[in-house]
Amino acid sequence: MPVNLTRNAIAMMNSGDVNSKPLVQVVDIKLIGNSQERYRFLLSDSESTQHAMLATQLNEQVRTGRVKKGSIIQLIDYICSTVQNRRIIVVLNMETIIPEYEIIGNPKLLMGSEPEANKSMPNNNLFEPSTRSTNNRYSAPAPANKAQSFQPTIQPAYQPPPNYKIQGPIMKNEAPARIIPIAALNPYQGRWAIKARVTAKGDLRRYNNARGDGKVFSFDLLDSDGGEIRVTCFNAVVDRFYNVIEVGKVYLISKGSLKPAQKNFNHLKNEWEIFLESNSTVELCPDEDGSIPRQQFSFRPITEIESAENNSILDVIGIVISVNPSVPILRKNGMETQRRILNLKDVSGKSVELTLWGDFCNKEGQKLQEMVDSGLFPVLAVKAGKVNDFNGKSIGTISSTQLFIDPDCPEAQGLRAWFESGGRNTASISISKEIMPGGSKNEIRKTLTQIKDEGLGRSDKPDWVTAKATVVFIKTDNFCYTACPLMIGDRQCNKKVTQSGNKRWLCDRCNQEFEECDYRYLLQVQIQDHTGLTWVTAFQEAGEEILGCSAKEMYLLKYELQDDTQFGEIIRSRLFHQYLFRLKIKEELYGDEQRVKITVVKVDKVNYSAESRYLLDMVTKNLPNRKQF
């Protein structure tokens, strides 16, 4: 018996049908595209033919021969779009019924479907695939006995989803747009709607350019097929939607425009980005949709990060084995931010440094530090971390990064089981080479003698090193100075002020007087390690870490209360404490003499657990390759 293809299937799909799941035949297959592998089909219903584009997540079916010229297939999920005046069927999911069969009938190209039948399809990535195959969701197992007569599955005609609130009569072309997968979006579609969950929401940012001031924010969407896309709003559209969008909620979104994604800022695996406009609609779906996942990860083992490209964006998961305190950092633009560094390890036997910036330090970072300090070692999943390759590989947070502590996912459960069954005692090698725990990317460990012997600080730019040393002496003369408290923009003036005749404090820089001044440290400290000793200068934050109290408290003790006994006790109690000193070394001119000045940028108490790991890594790296007994 001959195979019965779905009658008039091509014409029905061109008319907008998406529910009949027709049985059709592949009469031709062509590989197209230069930058991305794409397959074009010529589909037949035995009477008419129509060009179709195969979604890239189905390419494997062609490569493995499951679909070839002559195959009988059933279309499970598909749409028909107009691209440059051509009607094209986009196959999103399908099932092979008969792998090989002779061409049925004498089909002709459907009239009006393509003006120039012999013209190649445009080489555009119009249909970016989902990052997750949809075969498991839509496909049914092929029958064991492949009968020669098939009846396609018929579904009821499409009905608008109940979430659309239709009021009054519907004008022509004003019916609700059909919900399509994110993977099927392309800029040539006229009307569409997507149903997706918000997985991330960016901060509201303001900008200034040649066209004036503006504001912008973005959010990321994930649908039930695993498709992801970024949505961006500008200016007046920000006012409409910024307070509406909530992470974790599901929305129906329509009437936006698609433009090429800016890959410098957009890490999602989609060639397009949605821009909402004044007529766009965003409607909350009140009922939870369990078919849409909360989040989608693509984890890379830490050992693979070692070969990842610089500035690439990836997901990583690991056990947090150490967390350093949050420290203030002055950016190049003069703004101050926070930085916190922690270390992750996984079953690959490698560990990597993760740098948290800004709000991440005080939110997830503080919670992680409390957990580790209490003896807990949580699992941390990092979504969209940025790779840095300075002196080894490390990961840093960016604005679109998300952190998940002890997430409920199979990878986290497997990692926890490995750690509890002996992984905690397994030594790991850091891929963040020559990086001190708690340090930034250009911190290199040096002894105090090396600083002098290697002539550090005598080049045009300062040298930055880390030294483990002990405080052995603190000068008590001129240990602090009176400073201007006035804020200039986002920064305090901090210039030295003098007291005028009316007992008010005068700042020559600001040309203002104040009732109260600030007190800031200018400590001269002698530090020593096993190779020698040197003098360093410690300013405000470093001075507070060394002495354990504010400059104002010490100033009042010495000059107001004149309590030399208590003042001296505090100084003596701070001697012979060991720290990790972050040092800036630069040659400066004093009178007619060039001198090397060493300034303490940061002071950390020695974390002996992290220090032991550092020393173990140094021993491992410096041991010659030899047979282990």
Side-chain angles (χ1 to χ4, degrees):
M1 293 179 62
V3 174
N4 293 325
L5 303 180
T6 303
R7 189 174 181 181
N8 296 325
I10 300 299
M12 288 190 299
M13 287 188 285
N14 271 271
S15 299
D17 167 74
V18 293
N19 299 310
S20 61
K21 297 188 177 181
L23 201 69
V24 294
Q25 185 175 31
V26 180
V27 297
D28 193 20
I29 300 177
K30 287 186 178 180
L31 176 63
I32 63 174
N34 296 322
S35 61
Q36 186 177 15
E37 180 183 12
R38 303 302 301 268
Y39 289 98
R40 185 183 70 178
F41 284 4
L42 188 62
L43 300 180
S44 166
D45 61 7
S46 77
E47 296 180 358
S48 302
T49 61
Q50 174 72 16
H51 284 114
M53 184 76 75
L54 188 67
T56 55
Q57 67 261 34
L58 303 178
N59 285 352
E60 188 67 18
Q61 297 198 34
V62 178
R63 288 195 292 262
T64 58
R66 282 183 288 171
V67 177
K68 60 184 70 174
K69 186 176 180 179
S71 294
I72 306 298
I73 63 173
Q74 184 172 24
L75 303 184
I76 305 297
D77 196 10
Y78 55 92
I79 61 173
C80 191
S81 295
T82 300
V83 180
Q84 297 182 356
N85 297 321
R86 301 178 181 87
R87 296 289 285 171
I88 298 172
I89 298 170
V90 183
V91 181
L92 301 172
N93 196 17
M94 65 181 183
E95 181 182 348
T96 301
I97 305 300
I98 302 178
E100 294 186 49
Y101 201 82
E102 62 184 12
I103 301 301
I104 301 173
N106 186 26
K108 304 295 183 183
L109 186 68
L110 184 69
M111 295 300 293
S113 66
E114 186 168 351
E116 299 176 33
N118 296 325
K119 189 172 182 179
S120 297
M121 291 288 292
N123 182 19
N124 293 326
N125 294 332
L126 301 181
F127 310 100
E128 176 65 22
S130 166
T131 57
R132 180 182 65 183
S133 172
T134 56
N135 292 346
N136 293 336
R137 180 164 183 246
Y138 290 103
S139 298
N145 181 19
K146 297 175 181 175
Q148 298 298 303
S149 180
F150 297 90
Q151 295 298 324
T153 304
I154 305 297
Q155 293 187 350
Y158 171 76
Q159 297 293 329
N163 291 319
Y164 283 106
K165 299 177 182 178
I166 304 174
Q167 299 179 354
I170 299 177
M171 302 296 291
K172 183 179 180 181
N173 293 329
E174 289 186 1
R178 183 173 60 88
I179 298 176
I180 64 174
I182 287 176
L185 285 173
N186 69 82
Y188 305 100
Q189 291 167 319
R191 299 173 61 250
W192 53 263
I194 56 175
K195 183 179 182 182
R197 189 184 305 278
V198 177
T199 57
K201 177 182 177 182
D203 295 330
L204 177 62
R205 296 182 290 108
R206 299 186 182 274
Y207 62 88
N208 179 274
N209 56 28
R211 290 180 288 183
D213 297 333
K215 51 188 174 182
V216 60
F217 91 101
S218 300
F219 56 95
D220 297 342
L221 295 176
L222 171 66
D223 70 5
S224 58
D225 294 308
E228 293 183 284
I229 196 166
R230 176 159 296 176
V231 182
T232 300
C233 305
F234 285 93
N235 300 325
V237 183
V238 172
D239 298 331
R240 288 185 59 198
F241 297 126
Y242 184 76
N243 293 325
V244 172
I245 298 299
E246 294 184 42
V247 175
K249 298 294 182 65
V250 177
Y251 297 86
L252 282 170
I253 298 176
S254 62
K255 298 182 181 178
S257 62
L258 272 80
K259 298 180 182 179
Q262 300 182 46
K263 289 302 180 181
N264 290 340
F265 310 100
N266 187 344
H267 64 277
L268 299 182
K269 296 178 181 179
N270 199 317
E271 294 298 321
W272 308 107
E273 186 170 339
I274 297 175
F275 286 78
L276 296 186
E277 300 168 341
S278 57
N279 63 337
S280 300
T281 62
V282 175
E283 185 174 351
L284 175 67
C285 298
D287 298 326
E288 174 62 27
D289 190 337
S291 67
I292 305 178
R294 290 279 170 180
Q295 189 56 262
Q296 183 168 265
F297 296 98
S298 182
F299 292 124
R300 298 274 295 275
I302 292 176
T303 187
E304 290 186 10
I305 298 176
E306 201 165 11
S307 59
E309 293 184 5
N310 186 38
N311 296 325
S312 58
I313 306 298
L314 48 76
D315 302 343
V316 64
I317 188 170
I319 297 285
V320 181
I321 56 176
S322 67
V323 182
N324 286 275
S326 179
V327 295
I329 295 295
L330 194 63
R331 293 188 179 274
K332 292 181 180 179
N333 60 5
M335 301 294 290
E336 188 178 90
T337 188
Q338 293 292 313
R339 184 194 67 197
R340 186 191 292 271
I341 295 178
L342 52 87
N343 284 273
L344 302 176
K345 81 172 183 177
D346 67 4
V347 297
S348 68
K350 298 292 181 69
S351 63
V352 66
E353 186 182 82
L354 172 66
T355 303
L356 309 183
W357 294 98
D359 290 340
F360 288 111
C361 297
N362 300 324
K363 294 179 181 178
E364 295 90 347
Q366 184 61 35
K367 181 178 179 181
L368 289 168
Q369 183 171 16
E370 292 172 357
M371 294 176 75
V372 172
D373 289 347
S374 63
L376 301 176
F377 296 92
V379 176
L380 180 65
V382 182
K383 173 77 172 176
K386 185 176 181 179
V387 176
N388 186 298
D389 67 357
F390 187 89
N391 284 341
K393 290 294 175 64
S394 60
I395 303 294
T397 60
I398 55 178
S399 60
S400 56
T401 300
Q402 292 177 277
L403 303 180
F404 300 88
I405 300 174
D406 287 327
D408 184 13
C409 64
E411 294 87 350
Q413 295 165 5
L415 200 56
R416 171 58 60 193
W418 164 79
F419 187 75
E420 296 298 340
S421 63
R424 70 168 65 232
N425 300 318
T426 302
S428 58
I429 300 175
S430 175
I431 65 173
S432 306
K433 300 172 184 175
E434 297 188 31
I435 309 301
M436 280 305 305
S440 64
K441 304 301 172 286
N442 55 351
E443 286 182 344
I444 301 173
R445 179 71 70 91
K446 295 289 183 182
T447 65
L448 299 185
T449 297
Q450 284 178 312
I451 293 174
K452 180 179 179 181
D453 292 346
E454 295 178 12
L456 299 183
R458 298 190 180 276
S459 59
D460 293 336
K461 294 183 178 180
D463 288 307
W464 304 79
V465 301
T466 297
K468 183 176 68 173
T470 301
V471 175
V472 294
F473 187 79
I474 301 173
K475 284 187 177 181
T476 56
D477 295 333
N478 302 319
F479 65 91
C480 72
Y481 71 96
T482 51
C484 174
L486 186 66
M487 297 297 295
I488 302 176
D490 295 322
R491 301 180 62 186
Q492 189 172 329
C493 172
N494 286 334
K495 290 296 182 181
K496 185 175 181 179
V497 295
T498 56
Q499 200 166 28
S500 60
N502 57 4
K503 295 187 178 181
R504 291 168 62 88
W505 298 95
L506 173 64
C507 176
D508 293 332
R509 176 183 179 181
C510 301
N511 196 26
Q512 291 192 40
E513 290 185 347
F514 310 96
E515 292 287 346
E516 295 288 338
C517 68
D518 200 0
Y519 298 88
R520 297 184 65 82
Y521 278 120
L522 185 60
L523 281 182
Q524 300 297 317
V525 182
Q526 193 174 48
I527 61 175
Q528 181 177 11
D529 67 3
H530 63 285
T531 66
L533 51 81
T534 189
W535 285 97
V536 298
T537 301
F539 289 97
Q540 182 69 352
E541 290 79 9
E544 289 180 350
E545 184 65 36
I546 293 172
L547 288 182
C549 58
S550 69
K552 185 175 182 178
E553 292 177 75
M554 295 296 286
Y555 181 89
L556 293 177
L557 275 176
K558 184 174 178 64
Y559 297 108
E560 299 290 340
L561 301 177
Q562 297 184 356
D563 191 343
D564 293 335
T565 301
Q566 187 175 354
F567 180 87
E569 283 296 326
I570 293 175
I571 296 295
R572 283 189 291 272
S573 69
R574 309 308 294 180
L575 299 179
F576 308 110
H577 286 263
Q578 193 177 55
Y579 300 96
L580 286 176
F581 292 95
R582 167 73 162 155
L583 303 175
K584 175 186 175 183
I585 309 166
K586 185 70 176 75
E587 191 174 51
E588 296 183 358
L589 184 63
Y590 291 85
D592 296 328
E593 183 182 357
Q594 290 282 354
R595 295 182 187 176
V596 173
K597 181 179 180 181
I598 304 177
T599 304
V600 179
V601 178
K602 181 168 70 77
V603 180
D604 282 329
K605 294 179 180 178
V606 177
N607 182 326
Y608 290 101
S609 175
E611 183 69 9
S612 298
R613 281 191 295 272
Y614 166 75
L615 294 174
L616 181 60
D617 286 344
M618 292 297 294
V619 170
T620 304
K621 293 172 186 176
N622 288 283
L623 275 178
N625 294 328
R626 61 181 66 182
K627 185 177 179 181
Q628 300 295 321
F629 294 97

